[in-house]
Amino acid sequence: GQQLNQSPQSMFIQEGEDVSMNCTSSSIFNTWLWYKQDPGEGPVLLIALYKAGELTSNGRLTAQFGITRKDSFLNISASIPSDVGIYFCAGQASGNTPLVFGKGTRLSVIA
Amino acid sequence: GAGVSQSPRYKVAKRGQDVALRCDPISGHVSLFWYQQALGQGPEFLTYFQNEAQLDKSGLPSDRFFAERPEGSVSTLKIQRTQQEDSAVYLCASSLGMTIAPLIYEQYFGPGTRLTVT
């Protein structure tokens, strides 16, 4: 099935550093979402974006919905050890429709 | 609890066995989605329901996969004659999903059922 292009695949960073990851698609989406998944758990919703150009923050997390509606990025500022996990972007074509996910970015934080 | 729950959390099946995976959505959530997550991949859509109606089953990989939600609440994903390639984590998500406000389309996931077919 279709998956979004998410990069980087993995990152190793020092505690306190900022992190940036992004997601691109060949199709337009009307909603972009970012999830975090810990081992053995389901994805947890971090941020949802509903309008092209929208910039939304949730604590140390900031995400943007690209103008073309084909991309999104997620920034994490001042990373801490509990930020470790796999981050997934997801696009939603319209309304109450299935999500299309990226392959994930695995984040490791070195204390 | 208040979240989506799934059972069992882990299931080991011998090739050829049938399995049934259960999802309890968040109370009051109209829409329910099933996804399959292979190791190292993002979740992929299988099927979804609005109340008891199955609106899209285009992601089901074969006719061995069957899902139901007879009373519009609990859902069961059944896999008949399991094969090794069915080994994956099966995730269930629910959303309020009945009006036009975008917030209520946000999907909340359960912890998943890890299926291993030997």
Side-chain angles (χ1 to χ4, degrees):
Chain A
Q2 179 191 3
Q3 289 206 316
L4 306 178
N5 300 311
Q6 188 172 348
S7 64
Q9 275 191 311
S10 61
M11 307 180 72
F12 290 83
I13 61 167
Q14 295 279 347
E15 184 177 355
E17 287 185 352
D18 297 344
V19 171
S20 184
M21 58 192 79
N22 68 78
C23 205
T24 61
S25 168
S26 56
S27 309
I28 287 172
F29 289 106
N30 286 317
T31 303
W32 282 90
L33 305 103
W34 287 90
Y35 287 85
K36 178 175 183 269
Q37 187 173 30
D38 292 329
E41 300 297 327
V44 173
L45 182 63
L46 299 174
I47 290 181
L49 302 152
Y50 303 104
K51 286 176 59 175
E54 178 183 357
L55 186 72
T56 296
S57 293
N58 178 9
R60 294 178 297 105
L61 278 59
T62 301
Q64 184 155 31
F65 190 145
I67 290 290
T68 65
R69 293 192 282 158
K70 293 183 177 182
D71 64 304
S72 178
F73 73 74
L74 175 71
N75 286 344
I76 305 172
S77 63
S79 58
I80 59 178
S82 62
D83 291 335
V84 165
I86 304 177
Y87 292 79
F88 289 99
C89 61
Q92 191 172 39
S94 63
N96 200 30
T97 54
L99 300 177
V100 179
F101 281 85
K103 290 190 174 183
T105 294
R106 182 181 295 273
L107 179 63
S108 301
V109 179
I110 305 165
Chain B
V4 178
S5 60
Q6 293 186 244
S7 62
R9 292 293 311 274
Y10 304 91
K11 177 70 179 178
V12 179
K14 291 192 173 161
R15 192 173 57 182
Q17 280 185 333
D18 298 347
V19 298
L21 313 180
R22 176 187 168 108
C23 173
D24 281 88
I26 294 171
S27 178
H29 277 198
V30 168
S31 298
L32 185 148
F33 299 79
W34 284 99
Y35 294 85
Q36 181 190 59
Q37 186 175 23
L39 191 64
Q41 301 293 316
E44 292 198 11
F45 168 71
L46 293 176
T47 184
Y48 92 97
F49 295 84
Q50 189 164 295
N51 293 306
E52 67 278 5
Q54 190 173 18
L55 298 188
D56 186 343
K57 54 181 181 179
S58 62
L60 295 176
S62 78
D63 59 8
R64 297 185 295 103
F65 286 70
F66 172 77
E68 60 184 6
R69 194 186 185 199
E71 296 177 359
S73 179
V74 170
S75 177
T76 304
L77 176 67
K78 297 179 179 177
I79 309 173
Q80 297 176 321
R81 303 181 304 282
T82 52
Q83 305 292 315
Q84 283 190 317
E85 63 262 27
D86 300 335
S87 296
V89 174
Y90 290 86
L91 294 164
C92 175
S94 70
S95 69
L96 278 170
M98 271 297 283
T99 71
I100 61 172
L103 279 174
I104 56 91
Y105 294 141
E106 292 172 2
Q107 295 181 23
Y108 296 90
F109 283 81
T113 295
R114 179 177 296 278
L115 173 65
T116 303
V117 182
T118 60

